[in-house]
Amino acid sequence: MEKEILIKEQEHLTLVYDKLLEMKKKLEDQIAALDEKAVDDKNDIRDNIRFDYADIETTMETLAEIEVWNRYIDTYNVESSSLGKRLNTVNKLLESPYFAKIELQFDPSEEPESYYIGRAAISENGYDQMVVDWRSPIAEVYYNQEMGNTHYTVEDRQIPVDLKLRRQFDLKKDKLLSYFDTQIAIEDPMLLQSLSQIRSDKMQAITSTIQKEQNIVIRYPDVPFLLVNGIAGSGKTSVLLQRIAYLFYQKRKTLRPDQVCLMTLNPVFRDYIDNVLPDLGESNPLTITWHEFLDMVSVPFIDNDYDYTEAENLKKIHDVLPTLTPEVDDFFDITQKETMVMPKKDVLSIINRFSQFPMGVRLFQIASDELLERAKNILKNSDNYADNESDSVAKSENADNNRLENDFGGAIRTIKKCGFINVMHIAQRILGKSHITAAEWLYTKMELTGECDRNMRYVMIDEVQDYTMAQMIVFRKFFPNARFMLLGDEYQSIREGTISFAEIKEMAEKDGKEFVELPLMTSYRSSPEITEMFSSLLPAEKKMSVSSVKRPGEKTIVKECSSEAEYFSELEAHISEFGKKDGITAVICRNAYSLEKISASINNLDIKIISEQDALPSSGIVLLELSLAKGLEFDNVILADVDRESYPDKELGRHCLYTAMSRATQRLVVLSCGKLSDTLK
């Protein structure tokens, strides 16, 4: 029976693969023909179009002709892009046409229908799908892992079905290597095979092995605040990226990549995940760190590595700002290059004309219009403008304004962007201190000018437990129309003063927004031995619900060294041993001081030191700080400084050690020079 099924499924795979090859050839021919026609038309434009601007009539004819050609070029670009995207889809499916099959019976009187599920949908004639997209509603029954009577949802309507078969395939191009008929996640051979693979420098999509609890998150309905609370190794980031791909699919006619923002802690992690969405046929969204966000919104200075803003200071800015009386140092002179256009005392004079309005958005909206008119009049009367005007004929008002923009754009832009406001001075007045953080500066500017991004529809924040309440308040204010998906693990918070999940819930409820928290409690990253070790640092009630699905691995090694000689001997021995194995080995240090000390002592070994600007190598040994290891995973991990000083037996020390241990997938070595951290005793 199994041999018959294997033969039948191989025949189906061969049929699908041959059709994909035919489609590829046809698409390549269409693209080649389109490109050839475009070259001919380009030559035709070059040879025949006349740029004649002798008078108004010929100018209009020339512009009309150019517009006709522009529309044609736009049509060509649309057609070329459509064919290119379809060819990309076919090429991706040729690597592995599909990964699963389901048989559904919609009516007891009818025969079951078969559906093959892959990374993307493809149809031979436009409506009969050879492969259905993993994000399609009907594929939901595959991920729900409920045999028998189940359902899937289409536009809030449940479709009842009887799931007769749930089959997984191990394919390589047109070769069927094996198949598995599976029912529940813990018996999933494909998942275990995937988890046993060697780790690389890039995160891989989990499309074919998404588990039920992960699928719930990926397909969860839109809510203003969705918090995913998952233990280390539960696939939070993978789920995040799959959800982004799912949203792009569900809202493909209305959602653009520039309307999704993914906040990540460091550039190393961004580089680690940057191939996942393109592999799923989607574009990467805007992916930035906190510092890059501050640069994007033109904050004129950057804090140190972390934000330490007190949330109460932002509340104080909000409450006190409307009560302030403007003063001259609240503003800057308005200049055009080095020429004075309007001194700040004149700016204050105009602001005071609208004293019926409190300090805030309304005041500066009205005052900016008045300042703009005043500045334009001053600029029109300037010698530079008058000299140029004498040589020209009378212009329309629009032409006049355009010329002002061209000649005096600096001053005009300063007014339009409220650059005449001394945000720093106003924040200092309110808070009564000279040092203002970037978050305080930006929040003050938003309160003064209303600056925000209303275009952003989704903001995804990974490792949310490492952000402060103040940062979350800034994000909420800057992205007022966005829905937030937050992912994290409170026990992986590696610094003081960060937001708690209870505070996130309270913030959402205070805004009158729906808040949903979804758990991920299964570790898919680490072996049972490593999972048991890092989960031992969790509170008892949390530890009880943690599980690992990987096959048993190697025993973890914990070594307390009594001397530096013994310590470096042990360290070098483990580095040498792991260096002979496949995959990536990470030597993780708690801080920069420890990293520098260790790197100086083992500089004879072939180790790459990872900084924020570096990408991970595809194999070998890396040395990096814990803060840069967050979110990453490695086949072998050596924790090089698990002593009492680096990992004190306090809440923060336990969080840091839990985070560091859970980076390992197969092998974990814990070393200390001197007394081992009491956290492990």
Side-chain angles (χ1 to χ4, degrees):
M1 182 66 178
E2 285 189 10
K3 187 175 180 181
E4 290 177 8
I5 293 173
L6 196 66
I7 293 171
K8 186 177 179 181
E9 291 292 1
Q10 178 62 66
E11 288 174 351
H12 178 82
L13 174 60
T14 302
L15 178 66
V16 171
Y17 201 83
D18 288 345
K19 287 182 178 179
L20 287 172
L21 288 175
E22 290 175 14
M23 294 170 69
K24 178 180 180 178
K25 178 68 167 58
K26 184 178 179 181
L27 287 167
E28 287 175 339
D29 291 345
Q30 287 177 303
I31 292 172
L34 189 63
D35 289 343
E36 185 177 345
K37 189 174 185 301
V39 170
D40 292 341
D41 289 337
K42 181 180 177 182
N43 292 333
D44 187 39
I45 295 172
R46 184 191 61 199
D47 296 338
N48 296 308
I49 196 168
R50 294 181 304 111
F51 296 99
D52 190 348
Y53 303 102
D55 53 42
I56 292 177
E57 185 175 348
T58 55
T59 297
M60 294 301 293
E61 289 177 358
T62 299
L63 293 176
E65 192 174 357
I66 292 172
E67 180 60 24
V68 169
W69 283 111
N70 281 340
R71 289 184 180 180
Y72 174 80
I73 292 168
D74 288 342
T75 302
Y76 161 76
N77 287 336
V78 169
E79 187 177 356
S80 178
S81 175
S82 176
L83 290 172
K85 287 180 180 177
R86 190 165 172 78
L87 180 60
N88 285 339
T89 298
V90 171
N91 283 331
K92 286 184 182 300
L93 290 178
L94 283 169
E95 297 171 8
S96 179
Y98 45 81
F99 56 81
K101 172 186 177 180
I102 51 175
E103 284 187 0
L104 303 178
Q105 189 172 45
F106 292 87
D107 189 295
S109 63
E110 299 174 352
E111 287 295 313
E113 298 180 22
S114 296
Y115 297 88
Y116 289 83
I117 303 170
R119 288 189 293 171
I122 201 76
S123 60
E124 187 179 10
N125 50 22
Y127 53 89
D128 288 332
Q129 290 192 326
M130 295 189 296
V131 180
V132 300
D133 194 293
W134 68 274
R135 297 165 290 187
S136 64
I138 205 166
E140 183 180 354
V141 299
Y142 168 75
Y143 292 114
N144 283 344
Q145 301 164 345
E146 296 173 355
M147 298 299 292
N149 292 324
T150 183
H151 67 271
Y152 63 94
T153 304
V154 179
E155 296 179 349
D156 298 325
R157 186 167 62 94
Q158 287 191 353
I159 311 295
V161 293
D162 185 359
L163 178 58
K164 296 293 187 181
L165 175 72
R166 181 178 181 269
R167 178 170 291 164
Q168 294 174 287
F169 300 106
D170 183 8
L171 310 178
K172 187 171 183 181
K173 295 186 177 181
D174 61 343
K175 295 291 185 285
L176 174 58
L177 303 178
S178 59
Y179 76 89
F180 308 94
D181 290 344
T182 60
Q183 295 187 10
I184 57 175
I186 201 67
E187 297 174 355
D188 191 336
M190 295 295 288
L191 173 65
L192 295 173
Q193 178 181 320
S194 171
L195 296 177
S196 65
Q197 292 176 355
I198 298 298
R199 264 46 188 181
S200 72
D201 57 325
K202 296 291 185 181
M203 176 178 279
Q204 304 300 312
I206 61 168
T207 312
S208 62
T209 58
I210 293 169
Q211 299 301 291
K212 184 174 182 179
E213 65 172 358
Q214 295 172 327
N215 187 55
I216 291 171
V217 176
I218 292 167
R219 295 174 184 262
Y220 201 84
D222 264 354
V223 290
F225 278 88
L226 177 60
L227 173 63
V228 181
N229 184 355
I231 66 159
S234 57
K236 294 183 292 297
T237 304
S238 294
V239 166
L240 164 63
L241 296 170
Q242 300 283 157
R243 179 167 174 84
I244 292 174
Y246 176 76
L247 290 171
F248 282 148
Y249 176 84
Q250 292 291 316
K251 304 174 187 295
R252 52 194 175 277
K253 294 182 179 178
T254 60
L255 183 64
R256 305 187 308 271
D258 66 298
Q259 293 177 309
V260 179
C261 177
L262 171 56
M263 300 297 305
T264 184
L265 285 176
N266 59 66
V268 176
F269 185 69
R270 177 177 56 209
D271 183 75
Y272 177 61
I273 65 173
D274 67 3
N275 66 308
V276 175
L277 286 170
D279 280 353
L280 294 173
E282 303 291 352
S283 299
N284 278 319
L286 173 67
T287 306
I288 53 176
T289 64
W290 168 249
H291 284 173
E292 289 165 341
F293 168 73
L294 296 177
D295 185 60
M296 182 182 77
V297 297
S298 302
V299 175
F301 61 94
I302 301 295
D303 290 327
N304 294 326
D305 289 345
Y306 298 112
D307 172 69
Y308 289 100
T309 305
E310 293 288 340
E312 283 300 312
N313 286 352
L314 303 191
K315 184 178 185 304
K316 186 175 182 181
I317 291 167
H318 176 78
D319 293 341
V320 174
L321 182 62
T323 70
L324 280 189
T325 300
E327 59 182 43
V328 69
D329 287 334
D330 289 340
F331 308 102
F332 294 117
D333 297 331
I334 298 174
T335 61
Q336 173 61 33
K337 295 184 178 176
E338 296 181 359
T339 303
M340 177 70 72
V341 175
M342 195 183 305
K344 59 187 178 183
K345 64 181 181 58
D346 290 353
V347 175
L348 176 62
S349 177
I350 291 174
I351 298 295
N352 285 336
R353 289 174 53 187
F354 304 100
S355 58
Q356 69 270 34
F357 298 106
M359 285 272 271
V361 176
R362 182 69 175 144
L363 170 63
F364 289 109
Q365 283 178 338
I366 295 171
S368 292
D369 292 339
E370 182 69 20
L371 284 168
L372 196 57
E373 287 304 311
R374 178 76 66 88
K376 285 181 178 180
N377 288 332
I378 292 171
L379 293 168
K380 284 178 183 179
N381 293 324
S382 68
D383 293 340
N384 190 28
Y385 189 88
D387 290 343
N388 291 333
E389 183 67 22
S390 64
D391 297 329
S392 61
V393 296
K395 300 285 197 310
S396 67
E397 183 178 348
N398 283 341
D400 209 32
N401 283 332
N402 287 339
R403 187 171 161 228
L404 277 169
E405 292 276 2
N406 288 331
D407 293 349
F408 306 106
I412 292 172
R413 280 193 299 273
T414 295
I415 296 171
K416 286 183 175 180
K417 293 182 176 294
C418 294
F420 59 87
I421 304 174
N422 188 343
V423 177
M424 179 68 76
H425 185 264
I426 294 172
Q428 289 169 336
R429 287 181 62 196
I430 294 172
L431 298 176
K433 61 176 186 172
S434 59
H435 175 71
I436 300 298
T437 68
E440 290 163 350
W441 188 96
L442 178 57
Y443 190 83
T444 304
K445 186 180 181 184
M446 290 191 288
E447 287 282 324
L448 287 164
T449 66
E451 180 179 342
C452 63
D453 183 350
R454 298 186 185 278
N455 174 64
M456 198 63 67
R457 292 175 56 188
Y458 292 92
V459 174
M460 318 295 200
I461 304 179
D462 200 14
E463 305 286 356
V464 68
Q465 75 280 347
D466 284 326
Y467 289 82
T468 62
M469 172 66 87
Q471 288 174 303
M472 291 300 300
I473 293 171
V474 167
F475 291 145
R476 282 291 299 129
K477 192 168 185 66
F478 190 80
F479 301 112
N481 296 332
R483 294 176 179 272
F484 282 75
M485 181 180 181
L486 315 172
L487 300 96
D489 176 359
E490 282 187 294
Y491 301 99
Q492 290 190 62
S493 178
I494 62 170
R495 67 186 185 92
E496 300 281 4
T498 52
I499 195 167
S500 69
F501 289 180
E503 288 173 324
I504 294 174
K505 181 179 181 180
E506 182 183 345
M507 181 176 68
E509 292 174 344
K510 191 176 291 185
D511 286 349
K513 304 290 186 180
E514 183 182 356
F515 173 88
V516 175
E517 181 175 339
L518 299 176
L520 292 175
M521 296 306 298
T522 303
S523 174
Y524 303 98
R525 174 190 296 153
S526 305
S527 67
E529 293 82 0
I530 297 171
T531 301
E532 181 181 2
M533 189 166 190
F534 71 67
S535 63
S536 69
L537 302 173
L538 296 173
E541 66 277 8
K542 186 88 171 179
K543 180 182 176 182
M544 290 290 291
S545 57
V546 174
S547 62
S548 170
V549 301
K550 289 192 70 173
R551 296 186 177 97
E554 297 182 15
K555 185 178 179 182
T556 57
I557 297 172
V558 180
K559 178 71 172 179
E560 181 180 274
C561 301
S562 58
S563 68
E564 283 200 354
E566 180 188 9
Y567 168 75
F568 284 112
S569 175
E570 284 284 340
L571 180 59
E572 291 184 13
H574 288 296
I575 290 174
S576 298
E577 178 190 353
F578 290 163
K580 298 173 186 175
K581 299 183 183 296
D582 293 331
I584 304 177
T585 295
V587 181
I588 299 177
C589 303
R590 176 66 185 89
N591 50 44
Y593 170 78
S594 179
L595 185 144
E596 290 174 8
K597 180 181 177 182
I598 290 171
S599 64
S601 301
I602 57 173
N603 56 15
N604 58 312
L605 299 177
D606 184 17
I607 297 179
K608 178 178 174 61
I609 299 176
I610 301 295
S611 67
E612 277 201 353
Q613 290 72 39
D614 296 322
L616 289 176
S618 57
S619 61
I621 305 167
V622 296
L623 178 65
L624 73 169
E625 288 182 57
L626 174 60
S627 60
L628 292 181
K630 296 212 66 177
L632 305 179
E633 55 186 43
F634 308 95
D635 300 281
N636 316 300
V637 168
I638 300 171
L639 302 187
D641 54 356
V642 187
D643 52 61
R644 291 176 174 177
E645 183 178 347
S646 299
Y647 295 90
D649 190 16
K650 297 178 181 178
E651 182 178 66
L652 184 61
R654 288 190 292 275
H655 287 182
C656 290
L657 191 52
Y658 165 83
T659 305
M661 286 180 173
S662 59
R663 300 309 94 202
T665 65
Q666 298 185 36
R667 303 170 192 89
L668 173 64
V669 173
V670 177
L671 297 177
S672 74
C673 184
K675 292 294 184 182
L676 195 68
S677 170
D678 292 331
T679 304
L680 291 177
K681 296 182 178 179

